[in-house]
Amino acid sequence: MCPKVQFAFVTITTIELVIADNEFRQESTRMTYRFGVHVHGAWNHDRSVKVILYSFYKNICLYIIELWFAIFSAWSGQTIFERWTIGLFNVIFTAWPPVVLGLFDRPIAADQMMRYPSLYHSFQKRSFSIARFLLWIGMALVHSLSLFFLSYGFLETQVVWASGETGGWLMLGNSAYSFVVATVCLKALLECDSWTWPVVVASIGSIVLWLLFLCIYAAVSSSFLSFCRLLRWF
């Protein structure tokens, strides 16, 4: 017996469907690639540059104040800030602004980036460069100098408490520290191209968190010192 022969009938409609499906897949892949490069690529590039520059800025703004204080402390090596506040600066009080800046900042809306692909090239001009880096370093130096002498000017005549004691160097250090935390957190808001609720909460919340910590830590330290003085009588 002759084997059965099966014929595959391919119509014009089937070929058109296959071609249309391939074209749809190619167009979908192209749009996905374009969206990834033009939108997320531009966003991530801009965010990374901001986070790097901001990290240098906030640390220089704080720690260079030690240099300005050394001029008035006869280069004795005395630190102006309390040791716990120094350790918690990058861990708690200014940790969240660069995180949300690097995750939620959107320089330009996604639909605008897709509609005008030439905008992608404009982000190349905002890339990391030596000139831009030096600009941020200079800005950090100016801010640290301004914040230190602002605090120094307020406390030049010192603060006298009801007990007759003066504020001392810790009063100067905590005042300058408060100005620095407020300045660098608000700087993160200014650098954001789009204000979203995580950015606002992280920046304002960091300032509030420092003020709460300062009040609690001052109360605990004062109680501890009073307890130590009480022990001296025994």
Side-chain angles (χ1 to χ4, degrees):
M1 297 178 63
C2 296
K4 295 181 179 180
V5 180
Q6 296 181 353
F7 296 94
F9 294 95
V10 180
T11 62
I12 299 299
T13 304
T14 304
I15 296 176
E16 291 177 349
L17 289 175
V18 172
I19 295 176
D21 181 68
N22 290 334
E23 291 179 350
F24 175 78
R25 291 176 181 271
Q26 293 176 0
E27 181 66 18
S28 177
T29 303
R30 187 181 68 85
M31 291 298 294
T32 302
Y33 176 78
R34 181 183 171 187
F35 187 84
V37 173
H38 286 182
V39 178
H40 289 289
W43 284 355
N44 292 335
H45 178 269
D46 189 70
R47 292 169 180 171
S48 300
V49 172
K50 286 182 179 179
V51 170
I52 293 173
L53 295 175
Y54 179 78
S55 298
F56 277 98
Y57 162 80
K58 70 186 184 74
N59 283 281
I60 292 175
C61 190
L62 176 73
Y63 293 110
I64 293 298
I65 290 181
E66 296 281 6
L67 175 62
W68 313 134
F69 178 69
I71 299 175
F72 295 90
S73 61
W75 307 96
S76 61
Q78 174 65 52
T79 58
I80 186 175
F81 303 119
E82 204 275 334
R83 61 181 182 274
W84 279 102
T85 59
I86 295 177
L88 296 177
F89 181 75
N90 285 311
V91 177
I92 296 180
F93 303 128
T94 60
W96 290 108
V99 172
V100 296
L101 182 64
L103 292 177
F104 299 102
D105 186 32
R106 296 183 178 183
I108 300 178
D111 57 342
Q112 295 294 326
M113 292 291 296
M114 294 295 291
R115 187 178 304 173
Y116 305 104
S118 59
L119 290 174
Y120 177 79
H121 299 286
S122 65
F123 282 90
Q124 302 298 323
K125 300 178 182 179
R126 302 172 60 175
S127 62
F128 186 87
S129 62
I130 299 299
R132 191 177 181 187
F133 177 75
L134 293 177
L135 177 63
W136 275 76
I137 298 301
M139 183 167 49
L141 292 174
V142 172
H143 286 179
S144 67
L145 185 65
S146 302
L147 295 176
F148 172 76
F149 282 100
L150 180 64
S151 304
Y152 185 82
F154 284 156
L155 303 175
E156 186 177 6
T157 57
Q158 299 188 357
V159 176
V160 180
W161 304 106
S163 60
E165 298 177 345
T166 59
W169 59 270
L170 273 181
M171 175 65 71
L172 175 62
N174 289 333
S175 299
Y177 192 93
S178 300
F179 288 138
V180 170
V181 171
T183 300
V184 299
C185 290
L186 294 178
K187 177 64 175 175
L189 280 179
L190 293 177
E191 290 302 317
C192 285
D193 294 294
S194 58
W195 282 15
T196 57
W197 69 265
V199 176
V200 176
V201 170
S203 299
I204 303 300
S206 297
I207 300 175
V208 175
L209 183 62
W210 155 246
L211 295 177
L212 290 176
F213 174 84
L214 179 61
C215 295
I216 296 174
Y217 189 60
V220 173
S221 300
S222 178
S223 301
F224 180 74
L225 290 176
S226 300
F227 178 73
C228 292
R229 291 171 182 172
L230 182 63
L231 291 179
R232 294 178 182 177
W233 293 95
F234 297 96

